[in-house]
Every structure is written in structure tokens, then in C-alpha cells.
Amino acid sequence: MSLSSSPRRPSRGPRRRSLFASAAGAAGAALLVGCTGGSGSGESGGGPSDAERARARAARDSAELAARYAAVIAAHPGLAERLGPLRDGVVRHVEAFGGARASSPAASGTASAASPSVSARAAGPGGDSGDSGDSGVVPADEKGALALLAGAERKLADRRARALLDVPGELARLLASVAAAGAAHVFLLTEG
């Protein structure tokens, strides 16, 4: 007689272990990059202009992601309590990369707090944000809207993890930290 194991629930997304492993890998890569020789700001491979461009792009990407969160919150006010803290974290990432602090439409928890310009910006990336393939329009159902945000967070975290080797130590550590936070956001959006 064969014993069958209990049926497992079907996987709907990345497993918790894989998310934490990718976050740990990103943090480990940052430690390795941070331990290389040089002062961290004037290394020959990644001059200040490269680092400044990478920092500006990271700030811009985080600002676009915060706008996408605002658009989802405006379209689905019932998600405001769940998404507000995640959006606030993304806004802090903008500040950490040197970007300007955006007003927090999620702070009040109302759909009317998001301005039409924020919603329009979040409707689709206008520049070279690397989100090709996403229509950017907020889905009508909450599950689809959460999947849109999770996909955007995942792509951004992956891009930041790949960029770790091309930037100086301090910026690499910041990118790794923010990539790990993005991986945690993906988990919270898909499983939380």
C-alpha cells in the first residue's frame, strides 16, 4: 500500500524561501562589494558620475513606484491600510537615494488624496524604467492591482540586485538594502 502525502496548496507565486534567499543573496553581494579595496567614492571602475547616475536612476525608479502605489490606493481605497506602509517605505527609499520627498496621499487613507497627476504618472512608465510589458493601468480588481504592484517591485528589486557590482560600496549597500526591502514587499503583496 502506498502512502500519499497530504495535498499541498498550489503555489501562486514565489515561495517564502526563494524570496528570503534572494534578499540574503543581495545583501551578501553588497557585503562583498563593500569589502573591496578603495575608498568607495573614487574607485577607478565606477567614478562619481556613474555613481551619481545610478543614484539618480534609483531615486527616479522609487518615485515612479511610489506613484504606482498611489494610483492603486486611489483606485482601491480598501487597500489603503495595507498598502500605505509599503508606499511610505518606497517614499523613504526615494529620500535615501537623494530624491525629493513626494507628498503622501496614502497617509490620509482616502482615495481622493491622490492627485490626478500622480495617478496619470503611475498609469505607465514614461521613461526608461524597464517596465516594458506592463500596461501600467490599475486593474479593476484588487487581486490584479496587488499583482501589478508585486510585479513592479520584483522587477525593480531584480534590477537593483544586478546593479550592485557596478557601483561603489556605499551605494551598493544601499541598493542591496532597498532590493531586500523590495523582495519583502513582494512577499507581503503576494502572501500577506
Side-chain angles (χ1 to χ4, degrees):
M1 172 161 95
S2 68
L3 297 174
S4 62
S5 62
S6 62
R8 298 181 75 187
R9 74 180 174 119
S11 178
R12 291 181 297 226
R15 291 189 174 183
R16 185 180 311 171
R17 281 187 202 139
S18 64
L19 287 172
F20 288 127
S22 66
L31 290 175
L32 289 175
V33 171
C35 292
T36 59
S39 65
S41 61
E43 295 176 22
S44 61
S49 62
D50 289 342
E52 289 171 7
R53 282 195 299 271
R55 186 179 288 273
R57 178 180 176 143
R60 185 176 62 245
D61 288 345
S62 290
E64 289 173 2
L65 184 59
R68 186 168 285 194
Y69 268 97
V72 170
I73 291 170
H76 301 286
L79 293 174
E81 185 175 332
R82 179 177 178 184
L83 297 180
L86 299 178
R87 182 192 180 277
D88 292 344
V90 172
V91 169
R92 284 190 296 275
H93 298 159
V94 174
E95 294 170 348
F97 287 119
R101 179 175 178 86
S103 62
S104 179
S108 67
T110 63
S112 61
S115 70
S117 63
V118 169
S119 299
R121 276 196 322 242
D128 112 65
S129 66
D131 286 333
S132 61
D134 287 347
S135 65
V137 176
V138 176
D141 65 317
E142 288 184 356
K143 188 175 181 179
L146 291 173
L148 175 82
L149 288 173
E153 286 271 16
R154 185 178 298 114
K155 286 179 185 178
L156 189 53
D158 289 347
R159 187 169 58 234
R160 286 177 171 160
R162 284 190 305 272
L164 289 175
L165 298 176
D166 300 329
V167 295
E170 179 186 344
L171 181 55
R173 288 186 290 274
L174 180 58
L175 279 172
S177 175
V178 174
H185 286 188
V186 171
F187 174 76
L188 292 171
L189 290 166
T190 57
E191 301 292 326

